[in-house]
Amino acid sequence: METLLYYFVRGVARIHDTILALNDSGELFLNDKQLHFVVMGAAGMAFLLLIYPLFILLSKRHVLIIAWLYVFTVLVMLSFAIEIGQGLSGTGNMEMRDIISGLAGFMFLFLIFAFLRLIYLLIRRLITGK
């Protein structure tokens, strides 16, 4: 996991250095905080413009998928935060397998939930005729 985090951090650092080099060359005239404001704002809007149409389509009949995506995203971030915290504080081992195991637990329980929900919906359809 440390290797994965290292590559991610190095990639972000390269992008950061490239943007700073543009700024230092005089093409941009922003301080570090303004650069963060612009880059994260632009990245956030790019993601939003990609995700928004998908969520519009899903919201018509598949709200559970939206909820699952939200929960899964929060769990990924929480898992990484816990593992990084363990690595930095020395209170545990920072391992990618821990993240995968935790997410697999969520997936397993979600699949059980989805199966039970499907049974419920089928029974309800049989009873109501809809």
Side-chain angles (χ1 to χ4, degrees):
M1 176 159 166
E2 289 179 42
T3 304
L4 177 67
L5 286 174
Y6 172 78
Y7 284 118
F8 177 75
V9 169
R10 278 303 315 144
V12 171
R14 276 192 220 116
I15 293 168
H16 186 266
D17 292 346
T18 302
I19 293 171
L20 283 180
L22 284 172
N23 194 46
D24 293 343
S25 71
E27 294 183 43
L28 304 171
F29 298 100
L30 304 171
N31 66 36
D32 185 58
K33 301 302 175 251
Q34 291 168 330
L35 282 172
H36 283 270
F37 180 87
V38 169
V39 170
M40 293 306 287
M45 286 308 299
F47 286 131
L48 179 67
L49 293 174
L50 289 172
I51 296 299
Y52 182 68
L54 174 66
F55 276 33
I56 291 293
L57 290 172
L58 291 174
S59 69
K60 294 183 191 316
R61 297 211 21 124
H62 304 288
V63 176
L64 182 59
I65 294 172
I66 295 172
W68 181 89
L69 287 169
Y70 177 79
V71 170
F72 186 78
T73 302
V74 169
L75 287 176
V76 167
M77 298 306 295
L78 181 61
S79 297
F80 270 97
I82 290 168
E83 292 302 313
I84 291 169
Q86 286 180 348
L88 294 175
S89 67
T91 58
N93 294 324
M94 187 168 57
E95 297 181 68
M96 189 65 173
R97 289 180 298 191
D98 290 346
I99 293 172
I100 292 169
S101 293
L103 295 175
F106 169 65
M107 289 299 298
F108 177 74
L109 292 176
F110 177 79
L111 289 173
I112 292 171
F113 166 77
F115 179 72
L116 293 174
R117 182 176 179 269
L118 177 63
I119 292 171
Y120 166 77
L121 292 173
L122 289 173
I123 291 171
R124 193 174 86 186
R125 181 177 286 174
L126 286 172
I127 291 171
T128 62
K130 293 181 182 180

